[in-house]
Amino acid sequence: MTSPIEAEDATASVALDKNPAAKTTAADAETPIGRSPGQLMWMRFRRDRTGMISAVVVILYFVIALLAPVISALYGKDPYTLYAQEPDYPFLLNDFAMPTGAFGGVSGDFWFGVEPYLGRDVFTMLLYGIRTSLYMAVALTLLSVGTGVIIGMVSGYFGGKVDYWLGRITDFFLAFPSQLFFIAFMPVVTAMFVSPTDETPTYLRVVAIILVMWVLGWMGMARLVRSSVLSLREREFVEAAKVSGASRWRIVRKEILPNIVTPILVQGTYMLPSAILSIAFLSFVGVGFVEPTPDWGRMFAIGAKNYEQNPSFMLFTGVALVIFVLAFNLLGDSVRDAFDPKTGR
């Protein structure tokens, strides 16, 4: 038998729930929507104004490098022509072979001025210099990151004698003073393929630079990956994968690698601008690119010799290089903070 109180409560409940479908819909609308780690990372990155500006600057540099021939064609000049010897520009250089115009010869025909002694266009030299440096730095970074990831994962996951010997190999390469050996090994590598009396082709210089810098540039990534793998290989999800009968390759590929993508990506963003600076350094000291290949380091070398007479030649190159390196480093910081908010600046 139903009591009056129970009957009254039932009536009130029915009266309050006249539209149960609407109540369910409202509850569903208030349910939080799940987001993947990638979506959360992108949301945090979009809120970082510094990171977004840096990303736009970096993308702009890559677009300029890709479209350098198109921009040069629209501009009407190239980085190889000696315009001081052209009949259309008879007074481009003075008696001391310095640009006659103000600020290094800046004018409507030559937006960034002209090169001392030869009279080449600085604007197109800078465009093709960006192209040369970025292409090589991307290739070098991919090789160094790939090598470091493989050696670091093998060393950290297998441990024991494998870890010991790979660690000693890494220590051996870390013992080399990189800048000094860049200078010392470059002539050795090129002499293996070309006689010292012959001119070294540009493609061979590219291969030699990448080879030398790759051999001496993967150790930092290997150390980072090894330490990350050591902290993960004893975790519960890895042990569960072993118990389930998963192969070592599957454990490394499915369980460990996805959890170390963040440090790999962040370290890679720091390695690329460092590679650009190293490539420029080799050309600056005379063991990298030579005439007539446009390159940031070679432009710095020319500007350093004529800084007092023509400071603007180095200025444009220096500003372009500083902006790119700064933007890429800031981008790396923003990517790190987006993946791991605890490290926020």
Side-chain angles (χ1 to χ4, degrees):
M1 181 176 180
T2 305
S3 66
I5 296 177
E6 291 177 349
E8 183 180 355
D9 290 343
T11 306
S13 176
V14 172
L16 291 174
D17 295 339
K18 291 182 179 180
N19 194 356
K23 181 178 180 180
T24 303
T25 303
D28 292 340
E30 296 176 358
T31 302
I33 301 174
R35 293 184 175 90
S36 66
Q39 291 174 325
L40 293 174
M41 177 267 178
W42 174 240
M43 289 177 58
R44 288 191 290 264
F45 183 77
R46 284 192 305 175
R47 290 196 294 266
D48 190 341
R49 184 175 301 177
T50 301
M52 291 297 293
I53 295 175
S54 301
V56 171
V57 172
V58 169
I59 293 173
L60 180 62
Y61 268 80
F62 278 95
V63 171
I64 290 174
L66 183 64
L67 300 179
V70 178
I71 298 174
S72 177
L74 295 175
Y75 178 60
K77 294 179 177 61
D78 62 75
Y80 307 106
T81 302
L82 307 181
Y83 290 100
Q85 301 177 7
E86 295 289 319
D88 295 336
Y89 307 100
F91 303 106
L92 201 59
L93 301 178
N94 59 22
D95 295 337
F96 301 98
M98 292 290 116
T100 54
F103 206 64
V106 173
S107 64
D109 294 326
F110 300 95
W111 294 352
F112 286 2
V114 294
E115 180 188 17
Y117 299 113
L118 299 178
R120 288 180 292 199
D121 179 68
V122 176
F123 178 70
T124 52
M125 290 178 67
L126 189 58
L127 289 181
Y128 279 79
I130 294 173
R131 184 184 180 92
T132 302
S133 299
L134 281 186
Y135 282 3
M136 289 190 59
V138 169
L140 176 61
T141 302
L142 292 176
L143 286 173
S144 300
V145 168
T147 305
V149 168
I150 293 173
I151 293 178
M153 292 192 69
V154 171
S155 178
Y157 183 75
F158 287 96
K161 292 184 177 180
V162 174
D163 184 27
Y164 175 81
W165 287 110
L166 287 178
R168 301 297 73 76
I169 293 173
T170 304
D171 292 337
F172 173 77
F173 281 101
L174 282 172
F176 286 90
S178 58
Q179 299 292 348
L180 178 61
F181 277 83
F182 287 161
I183 300 173
F185 283 168
M186 276 298 299
V188 176
V189 174
T190 54
M192 294 171 59
F193 302 97
V194 179
S195 172
T197 59
D198 298 334
E199 179 67 25
T200 304
T202 301
Y203 76 88
L204 186 56
R205 289 186 177 274
V206 171
V207 173
I209 292 173
I210 292 177
L211 181 62
V212 171
M213 296 184 65
W214 173 34
V215 170
L216 299 177
W218 55 267
M219 295 80 72
M221 179 63 73
R223 283 288 184 86
L224 176 66
V225 172
R226 174 186 175 273
S227 62
S228 300
V229 173
L230 285 175
S231 66
L232 290 173
R233 68 177 186 178
E234 305 299 335
R235 298 283 294 274
E236 293 80 1
F237 61 90
V238 176
E239 294 295 333
K242 292 179 181 178
V243 172
S244 66
S247 63
R248 289 179 173 179
W249 166 244
R250 180 176 176 81
I251 292 174
V252 169
R253 182 169 53 92
K254 292 291 187 179
E255 305 296 337
I256 295 180
L257 184 59
N259 287 282
I260 61 174
V261 168
T262 300
I264 292 173
L265 183 60
V266 173
Q267 183 68 13
T269 59
Y270 293 136
M271 290 173 67
L272 193 143
S274 177
I276 288 180
L277 293 175
S278 297
I279 293 169
F281 169 76
L282 290 178
S283 297
F284 181 82
V285 298
V287 296
F289 291 104
V290 296
E291 297 284 359
T293 305
D295 179 71
W296 276 345
R298 197 174 57 77
M299 293 180 70
F300 269 111
I302 297 172
K305 296 177 181 178
N306 307 279
Y307 178 75
E308 294 182 357
Q309 295 84 4
N310 186 20
S312 63
F313 185 81
M314 183 182 289
L315 175 65
F316 293 114
T317 309
V319 169
L321 182 60
V322 168
I323 289 176
F324 178 79
V325 173
L326 178 62
F328 222 106
N329 286 334
L330 292 176
L331 178 62
D333 291 340
S334 298
V335 171
R336 179 200 60 198
D337 297 342
F339 274 111
D340 187 2
K342 295 179 181 179
T343 62
R345 297 184 297 275

